[in-house]
Amino acid sequence: MDSGECKMINILPEIYKNELFYSIIARYRRMCGMVSKRALMRDIFGEVNTITSSYFPQYIDRFVNNLPPTSKITVQEIINNHTMFPFYTAFLPKAKTEMIYKIMEKGGNKSRINIEQLIGFGGSKVKRSNYLKYCPICFKEDIDTLGESYWRTNHQIVGSLYCLKHHVLLKDSSVLSTGSGIQYWCADQQTCDAKVLMDPYPIKIKELNIEYVQNAELLLHNGYPRKELDYIIRFYIDRLREKGLASSNGSLYMKEVLSQFMLYYPEQYLELMQSSFTPDSPSNWLRLFVTGSNKNRIPLRHLLYIQFLGVDLDTFFRSDVVVGKKPDTKSFNPIFDIKKRREKWMKLVTENHGATRSELKEIGKGLHTWIFRHDREWYEKVTPRNKARKRSADSIDWEQRDTDCLRIAKQAVETILNRDGKPTRITPTNIRNTLGIGSWFNNKKLIKTNQFLQEVKENTEHFRIRKIKWAIDEMLSNEDTITPYKIQLFAGFGGSNKEIRELILQTLEEYK
């Protein structure tokens, strides 16, 4: 059937709550028996338009104007209730939100404006799924009660691993979600099935993701007011201050923020949420998240941050008063502050006899800054000069120091190997991090220590095997069903690496 001459939609299938606009068009196509995509576009929009995204369709006003005069469907209803617009613009400023709304309503006017670029997908490492997702139990219930199923907006939320209603894993369909290959296929037996996936993830990951999905669906359906980026950053700083992760003037204790974040979210979960990071990297996303940068932040990471802070979304969006960073205007009590801090500094100097000023500064962070700034003259009198640098090499017993360092390096290796949770690779850097020691540990004069660090350094394959064995042992203790695919996911390798799969099969032979 070619409806190229049709100028108005005379009949439309019933629109379900939470149904994706793409799904409405797909069911209309099936109802009319259309084969030609061009004819479908003429029927829907009155002319042929190229639609490349099921998340952010354009020319919605043409669709609404093409409905019968008695129709009560509005552009606002379609965009707010049947697209991903409310979720992906939730943390954007009002002006940019309105711009995206206008493009979806009237189209980009052939200016090639990319909505996904405006939202922040362009430069982000967080990628949306290439295929439409669905819940197998929702699918079966729809078929049993409605005689058909449909694509739901909430199942397309990036980072949603589970269906909030049934707490089972969402599945990828065979239907493309974006690109020129969009063909408007229905959620039916050809594209979906009712088989529930086995869940390979620990209960902690499931609980974290269910909470994430709850918040994400609130963004879809609650119509929260838009906030400027400046408000959002100041809100985060206020909450970090309350948790003791920022100073009174709003300076972040970044090492502690990174540490607490990694304690809250398991490494495997951050990988699943496309948000893992290297703590030592100065450009990791978490370190840069609460800054004045105007770069858009993907909603997924906002929700991870808000969940970490223990804040509900109503509080986030309905608050009016935020402080953020503020000048340090605290008036110090000379008698109390100087006396107490002098005592602490002298104690620190005494307990670290022989330490250089740089070492004392590192040991007494915060305290050193205060003394140096407010009591400089006294500091210069009582703080030892860097005499250690003027000593001859013979004044340090490098052989004894090498022996001591070797001993604690071996202890650190034992600590890493016996640590609970997912294994950590044995490397010189991780050994130093475990000991809390700086780069001086690599001094060439520590001959035996450096030799040990190189000997004990774990190569990639050995570490992978250790992770695989850990995953198998954990799954056996939890009485989980053991399959190579589930082991691969549990260990945090992802499911597509063939080299890892071969290692898993070889390792499983040892358990037979």
Side-chain angles (χ1 to χ4, degrees):
M1 172 179 177
D2 190 329
S3 303
E5 298 179 359
C6 181
K7 296 182 179 180
M8 180 174 289
I9 300 172
N10 293 316
I11 184 172
L12 197 67
E14 177 187 355
I15 298 177
Y16 297 114
K17 183 179 180 181
N18 193 33
E19 182 176 12
L20 204 61
F21 181 66
Y22 170 100
S23 179
I24 299 169
I25 298 176
R27 291 194 300 117
Y28 173 81
R29 180 181 193 175
R30 181 178 61 189
M31 183 178 66
C32 296
M34 286 189 179
V35 175
S36 168
K37 183 178 175 180
R38 291 177 61 85
L40 175 65
M41 293 297 96
R42 288 196 194 97
D43 253 26
I44 294 297
F45 301 108
E47 60 181 80
V48 177
N49 293 313
T50 301
I51 306 297
T52 59
S53 173
S54 60
Y55 299 150
F56 313 108
Q58 299 183 28
Y59 308 103
I60 303 299
D61 64 334
R62 295 181 186 175
F63 165 74
V64 171
N65 292 335
N66 211 26
L67 295 171
T70 56
S71 171
K72 296 182 180 180
I73 297 174
T74 65
V75 171
Q76 184 179 18
E77 179 188 349
I78 294 296
I79 293 179
N80 287 338
N81 299 328
H82 301 285
T83 74
M84 302 306 296
F85 169 84
F87 174 78
Y88 284 105
T89 63
F91 296 95
L92 294 181
K94 184 178 180 181
K96 185 166 284 188
T97 299
E98 291 175 349
M99 179 193 301
I100 294 170
Y101 184 97
K102 187 63 66 177
I103 294 171
M104 292 179 68
E105 178 184 13
K106 297 188 176 298
N109 196 26
K110 299 183 179 179
S111 63
R112 297 185 180 179
I113 296 177
N114 189 317
I115 292 179
E116 295 193 3
Q117 292 281 350
L118 291 174
I119 285 170
F121 266 130
S124 174
K125 293 184 178 180
V126 177
K127 306 300 180 186
R128 77 285 181 278
S129 174
N130 291 324
Y131 297 92
L132 292 178
K133 291 180 172 289
Y134 69 98
C135 164
I137 299 181
C138 287
F139 174 73
K140 184 178 186 304
E141 289 180 351
D142 291 344
I143 299 297
D144 292 342
T145 58
L146 304 173
E148 64 176 349
S149 191
Y150 57 95
W151 304 110
R152 288 164 165 80
T153 56
N154 59 328
H155 290 166
Q156 315 315 318
I157 294 170
V158 64
S160 291
L161 305 178
Y162 294 89
C163 170
L164 189 57
K165 181 179 179 182
H166 298 109
H167 289 200
V168 299
L169 288 171
L170 296 175
K171 300 177 69 174
D172 279 339
S173 70
S174 58
V175 178
L176 286 171
S177 61
T178 58
S180 58
I182 287 182
Q183 292 294 329
Y184 297 98
W185 301 118
C186 292
D188 56 24
Q189 286 85 349
Q190 292 183 327
T191 58
C192 308
D193 63 63
K195 184 179 179 180
V196 176
L197 292 173
M198 292 291 293
D199 190 349
Y201 305 124
I203 187 64
K204 175 66 173 177
I205 284 181
K206 184 172 185 176
E207 290 172 347
L208 286 169
N209 195 249
I210 291 296
E211 184 175 347
Y212 168 86
V213 176
Q214 288 171 337
N215 284 334
E217 294 200 11
L218 288 176
L219 295 183
L220 263 182
H221 304 306
N222 277 25
Y224 287 118
R226 297 305 185 256
K227 296 290 188 180
E228 297 297 317
L229 181 58
D230 178 65
Y231 165 91
I232 294 173
I233 290 176
R234 285 188 288 137
F235 181 93
Y236 287 152
I237 291 174
D238 289 350
R239 301 292 83 77
L240 289 167
R241 186 188 290 115
E242 291 172 1
K243 290 175 72 70
L245 298 176
S247 67
S248 59
N249 67 357
S251 298
L252 304 190
Y253 303 142
M254 187 50 68
K255 285 187 177 180
E256 189 65 19
V257 172
L258 294 167
S259 175
Q260 290 298 316
F261 198 86
M262 289 187 293
L263 285 174
Y264 186 84
Y265 290 117
E267 179 185 354
Q268 183 185 11
Y269 184 65
L270 290 176
E271 290 175 358
L272 289 168
M273 300 298 279
Q274 305 180 71
S275 296
S276 57
F277 58 87
T278 303
D280 295 336
S281 171
S283 60
N284 74 60
W285 74 264
L286 188 62
R287 188 181 292 274
L288 301 177
F289 201 70
V290 185
T291 68
S293 166
N294 289 325
K295 184 178 179 181
N296 292 333
R297 283 92 164 145
I298 289 292
L300 177 147
R301 289 183 174 170
H302 278 292
L303 292 181
L304 287 178
Y305 214 89
I306 288 170
Q307 188 173 337
F308 160 68
L309 293 174
V311 178
D312 65 83
L313 288 181
D314 280 346
T315 299
F316 179 89
F317 284 104
R318 308 296 183 192
S319 294
D320 293 321
V321 179
V322 289
V323 177
K325 286 196 173 184
K326 55 186 178 181
D328 191 359
T329 57
K330 181 178 178 182
S331 58
F332 298 103
N333 182 323
I335 297 175
F336 175 79
D337 283 313
I338 292 179
K339 182 179 178 181
K340 291 293 185 182
R341 284 170 170 78
R342 282 182 173 183
E343 289 175 357
K344 288 182 179 180
W345 184 252
M346 289 307 301
K347 184 173 185 290
L348 185 146
V349 170
T350 303
E351 290 178 350
N352 296 276
H353 179 69
T356 66
R357 286 191 172 189
S358 295
E359 291 168 345
L360 291 173
K361 179 181 178 180
E362 182 68 21
I363 297 168
K365 282 183 178 178
L367 177 60
H368 175 276
T369 301
W370 193 97
I371 291 285
F372 193 81
R373 180 183 299 171
H374 299 285
D375 202 10
R376 179 73 175 270
E377 185 177 348
W378 179 83
Y379 168 86
E380 294 292 348
K381 289 180 180 179
V382 303
T383 307
R385 294 275 176 190
N386 296 351
K387 295 179 181 178
R389 293 183 180 178
K390 298 180 181 179
R391 295 175 182 172
S392 65
D394 295 337
S395 64
I396 298 176
D397 188 343
W398 285 104
E399 185 175 353
Q400 181 59 47
R401 179 170 290 188
D402 194 11
T403 300
D404 293 338
C405 289
L406 177 61
R407 174 178 52 79
I408 63 174
K410 290 179 177 179
Q411 291 174 352
V413 171
E414 290 299 315
T415 300
I416 292 172
L417 289 173
N418 295 318
R419 187 178 289 158
D420 291 335
K422 186 178 290 187
T424 300
R425 186 175 177 181
I426 299 172
T427 65
T429 299
N430 285 335
I431 290 172
R432 291 205 321 269
N433 289 342
T434 299
L435 294 171
I437 290 175
S439 58
W440 65 265
F441 205 63
N442 296 329
N443 194 302
K444 293 180 180 180
K445 295 179 181 179
L446 302 175
I447 299 172
K448 291 183 289 186
T449 303
N450 277 295
Q451 182 179 349
F452 172 75
L453 292 178
Q454 294 306 313
E455 290 175 352
V456 80
K457 183 178 178 181
E458 198 170 20
N459 64 41
T460 302
E461 182 172 334
H462 186 275
F463 177 59
R464 286 175 171 176
I465 292 172
R466 193 156 62 86
K467 282 181 76 175
I468 290 167
K469 289 182 176 180
W470 166 82
I472 293 172
D473 291 340
E474 286 290 309
M475 294 172 72
L476 286 172
S477 65
N478 294 332
E479 299 183 352
D480 289 342
T481 304
I482 303 292
T483 68
Y485 179 72
K486 289 181 68 176
I487 294 169
Q488 196 162 342
L489 291 179
F490 192 91
F493 292 117
S496 59
N497 192 314
K498 294 181 180 179
E499 184 180 349
I500 296 294
R501 183 66 57 86
E502 185 62 31
L503 274 179
I504 291 173
L505 292 172
Q506 293 174 10
T507 307
L508 281 172
E509 289 294 321
E510 301 178 17
Y511 284 77
K512 290 183 178 180

